[in-house]
Amino acid sequence: MDLDAFSAALRKDGYLDIETKTIEADKVVGLHSHPFDVRAVVLAGSARIACGNEPAREFKPGDIVEVAAGVEHTEHYGPQGYTFLVGRRHPASA
């Protein structure tokens, strides 16, 4: 995965809040939602994410994760933790 190209695509699509994050091993985040769209690429580790009524999906390095604003989801991070490059697209101000 070309991270510069991924970051450029994020910016082009309006994901202007971009950062690399690491989540601790075996962390569980219960049902929640965000007021912004998320698009990320997994850099290391793994996570199981279940969005809405869909079954959980496992994400590993190189996978792209997308979660739309307002969609309830759960996150279960793997035994090696989880590092990802994430972009957030916030709604336009009124």
Side-chain angles (χ1 to χ4, degrees):
M1 168 69 54
D2 180 338
L3 296 183
D4 289 334
F6 184 80
S7 294
L10 286 173
R11 286 189 294 280
K12 178 181 173 277
D13 291 341
Y15 292 82
L16 304 179
D17 181 4
I18 300 171
E19 70 176 317
T20 299
K21 290 187 70 171
T22 298
I23 306 293
E24 65 197 57
D26 300 317
K27 182 174 181 170
V28 175
V29 180
L31 190 63
H32 68 287
S33 65
H34 305 286
F36 46 79
D37 296 324
V38 172
R39 183 182 298 159
V41 61
V42 181
L43 303 176
S46 65
R48 288 178 44 85
I49 300 173
C51 292
N53 294 325
E54 298 294 319
R57 180 173 164 210
E58 186 167 2
F59 293 91
K60 295 182 177 185
D63 289 343
I64 306 293
V65 179
E66 292 193 70
V67 179
V71 173
E72 290 188 329
H73 60 285
T74 59
E75 305 166 13
H76 296 83
Y77 297 100
Q80 286 83 37
Y82 187 72
T83 301
F84 56 110
L85 175 65
V86 61
R88 296 175 196 86
R89 181 171 57 194
H90 296 272
S93 299

